[in-house]
Amino acid sequence: VVSTQSTGVKSLTAPDATPKAIAVSLASAGYYCGYDAYSTCSVEQSLVGNTRDALQGQLNNANASYSGHVLKVKGSGRYHYMCTRNNNLTNRSQKRTIKKKKKEK
């Protein structure tokens, strides 16, 4: 899951996806393609218009693989991400931070 609250994060694979849509897609391992519909996300596969069973709490009904989003970070700052599938606070926990510095002149 990537924090997309800043406006400096944009999806290159779905340019019209909002930060909220990207966050929902990443947090659900692609079970929901986004919060609501956009060009590469149908209403039926979005969180708002979902017509399938609800996402199981441990993501057991999510697909085994997920291509995700290719994200472009425009501004400097810290960007945190983690793997929700393996986040059981053990040695399998996968959490990282990317620090993007301002360009030096």
Side-chain angles (χ1 to χ4, degrees), residues 26-44:
L26 293 173
S28 68
Y31 188 77
Y32 304 116
C33 57
Y35 181 75
D36 48 14
Y38 53 91
S39 65
T40 60
C41 178
S42 68
V43 172
E44 297 79 20

Side-chain angles (χ1 to χ4, degrees), residues 1 22-34 55 59 62-63 66 84:
V1 176
I22 296 167
V24 167
S25 177
L26 293 173
S28 68
Y31 188 77
Y32 304 116
C33 57
L55 181 61
L59 305 179
N63 290 332
Y66 167 55
T84 56

Side-chain angles (χ1 to χ4, degrees), residues 10-104:
K10 183 174 180 84
S11 173
L12 298 179
T13 50
D16 59 333
T18 64
K20 190 174 190 177
I22 296 167
V24 167
S25 177
L26 293 173
S28 68
Y31 188 77
Y32 304 116
C33 57
Y35 181 75
D36 48 14
Y38 53 91
S39 65
T40 60
C41 178
S42 68
V43 172
E44 297 79 20
Q45 293 180 329
S46 70
L47 179 63
V48 173
N50 180 46
T51 56
R52 300 173 292 167
D53 291 337
L55 181 61
Q56 194 268 340
Q58 294 177 316
L59 305 179
N60 288 335
N61 58 342
N63 290 332
S65 60
Y66 167 55
S67 58
H69 287 268
V70 175
L71 301 176
K72 180 177 182 178
V73 179
K74 292 183 178 182
S76 62
R78 290 178 159 212
Y79 298 88
H80 307 282
Y81 66 97
M82 63 183 268
C83 176
T84 56
R85 181 68 177 167
N86 293 326
N87 187 33
N88 63 358
L89 305 174
T90 66
N91 61 344
R92 294 187 307 158
S93 180
Q94 298 169 354
K95 300 174 190 170
R96 298 290 182 264
T97 299
I98 296 174
K99 298 174 192 172
K100 184 175 179 190
K101 296 181 180 180
K102 290 183 181 178
K103 201 178 219 182
E104 294 186 25

